[in-house]
Amino acid sequence: MVHMTFGEKMFQYVLLIFIVLICGVMIYPFIHMLAVSFSTPIEAIRPGLHLIPLEFSLDAYKQAFASQQIWIGFGNTIFRTVVGTLLGLFFMSITAYPLAKKQLPHRKWFTLLIVFTMFFQGGLIPTYLLIKNIGLINTQWVYILAPPFLISTFSLIILRNFFMNIPSELEDSAKIDGANEVRILFSLVIPLSKPILATVGLWLAVSHWNAWFDGLLYIQDTTKMLLQIYLRRLVIDNSQNEMSMIMDQMAGDVVPESIKAAVLMIATIPILLVYPFLQKYFVKGIFIGSLKG
């Protein structure tokens, strides 16, 4: 800032103000719902801005956690996120590694076929018929195996580009020591790829945690319902049966606004807690993974 001209300084200040305003617009809905979820019924239904709970209460969270369906949905969502992320990283890694090798026969054609799926897909009806014919309807595995969650084409290309940047001399030295390709992948390449694996893993985890359409499409069994489907029925569909069921399971005075806000926080905060642990890998991983084509 010291060596900038007056016009450059003004541009930086305007840009800073613009960024702060954008951040405020994005953060305010979360702060509003958080304040409502911790407010008493009278305060929750008060019109206007809600930045802090003027009258603090935990009744909405007590009511929400008293619902058995929330625990079922929470468990199904955690299962989907953890298992889906781990399996996705595994299968994308073993697919991206050979594609990163120039000696792979017809490597360019395999890559072209994979990239082709980013632009042209089978469509909703053929996908549903495929899932039905292989017996995944009303099973938890449909959350993980149904496209595009097991292998994401974009993430696969990012992983491939990252593997291409690993010096071939390291792999050659491992081969001299007697390591085969599988040993090289899991003992050398994977440990060196923590930044990109953390980045892709974060993408997968957020996608699995926020996904709801496949659960709405393929699942009718309430014991396999996701937390996001349950939240959708409360907030978007405004299901009176769901709301009354929660409010009848525990005595106490709450309003629908508090229940909706509490369930929304329950569904949002866990995935937000993942970001601080992966943030240091995120920028490095996406930068290096996008350098080489």
Side-chain angles (χ1 to χ4, degrees):
M1 294 289 288
V2 177
H3 302 288
M4 290 183 180
T5 64
F6 177 77
E8 291 174 336
K9 291 181 179 180
M10 290 301 299
F11 176 77
Q12 293 293 328
Y13 287 131
V14 171
L15 183 62
L16 178 61
I17 294 173
F18 178 75
I19 293 175
V20 170
L21 291 176
I22 293 296
C23 292
V25 171
M26 297 175 64
I27 294 174
Y28 169 71
F30 179 82
I31 297 177
H32 173 84
M33 299 304 295
L34 184 64
V36 171
S37 67
F38 283 111
S39 298
T40 59
I42 296 177
E43 177 63 20
I45 61 176
R46 176 182 60 84
L49 299 176
H50 290 77
L51 297 178
I52 58 173
L54 300 179
E55 299 178 8
F56 187 83
S57 175
L58 293 175
D59 289 341
Y61 286 95
K62 293 178 181 178
Q63 294 276 23
F65 282 119
S67 173
Q68 183 181 6
Q69 191 60 53
I70 283 187
W71 290 106
I72 293 175
F74 204 81
N76 291 333
T77 302
I78 291 177
F79 169 81
R80 171 185 185 157
T81 303
V82 174
V83 177
T85 300
L86 294 177
L87 287 180
L89 287 174
F90 173 77
F91 282 103
M92 282 192 287
S93 296
I94 63 176
T95 305
Y97 179 67
L99 290 175
K101 302 303 173 185
K102 294 182 179 180
Q103 63 269 27
L104 177 70
H106 310 295
R107 169 174 168 264
K108 291 185 178 180
W109 286 106
F110 286 131
T111 304
L112 181 61
L113 288 175
I114 292 173
V115 174
F116 181 83
T117 62
M118 295 180 63
F119 305 99
F120 301 95
Q121 301 177 3
L124 182 60
I125 295 178
T127 302
Y128 181 86
L129 293 176
L130 172 64
I131 297 300
K132 181 180 179 180
N133 291 334
I134 62 179
L136 291 179
I137 297 294
N138 264 337
T139 65
Q140 286 186 327
W141 289 105
V142 73
Y143 296 136
I144 299 169
L145 301 180
F149 289 104
L150 186 61
I151 294 182
S152 168
T153 306
F154 177 78
S155 299
L156 177 63
I157 298 301
I158 294 294
L159 275 173
R160 166 188 170 271
N161 294 345
F162 190 95
F163 290 162
M164 291 175 64
N165 283 279
I166 296 178
S168 58
E169 291 79 8
L170 294 176
E171 299 182 26
D172 294 337
S173 63
K175 290 179 181 179
I176 293 175
D177 293 335
N180 55 23
E181 295 292 344
V182 177
R183 180 68 181 273
I184 293 174
L185 173 61
F186 290 101
S187 299
L188 178 64
V189 176
I190 295 298
L192 292 175
S193 305
K194 288 181 180 179
I196 192 62
L197 291 175
T199 302
V200 173
L202 179 61
W203 290 345
L204 285 173
V206 173
S207 298
H208 277 292
W209 187 271
N210 292 332
W212 60 272
F213 185 69
D214 50 354
L216 186 67
L217 190 64
Y218 303 125
I219 301 295
Q220 289 80 41
D221 188 353
T222 56
T223 61
K224 298 180 177 65
M225 183 184 299
L226 296 171
L227 181 61
Q228 284 68 25
I229 298 295
Y230 187 62
L231 177 62
R232 181 181 184 274
R233 293 171 64 179
L234 284 178
V235 178
I236 299 178
D237 294 345
N238 196 20
S239 174
Q240 295 298 327
N241 292 333
E242 294 290 334
M243 188 65 66
S244 61
M245 181 181 67
I246 297 178
M247 299 179 68
D248 290 342
Q249 286 181 350
M250 181 178 178
D253 295 327
V254 292
V255 292
E257 286 76 10
S258 297
I259 289 290
K260 293 177 183 179
V263 175
L264 184 62
M265 290 298 104
I266 293 171
T268 303
I269 291 179
I271 195 64
L272 290 179
L273 298 178
V274 178
Y275 279 88
F277 299 99
L278 301 179
Q279 184 180 7
K280 63 179 181 179
Y281 298 110
F282 190 82
V283 176
K284 181 180 179 182
I286 191 62
F287 177 73
I288 298 179
S290 61
L291 286 180
K292 203 169 186 179

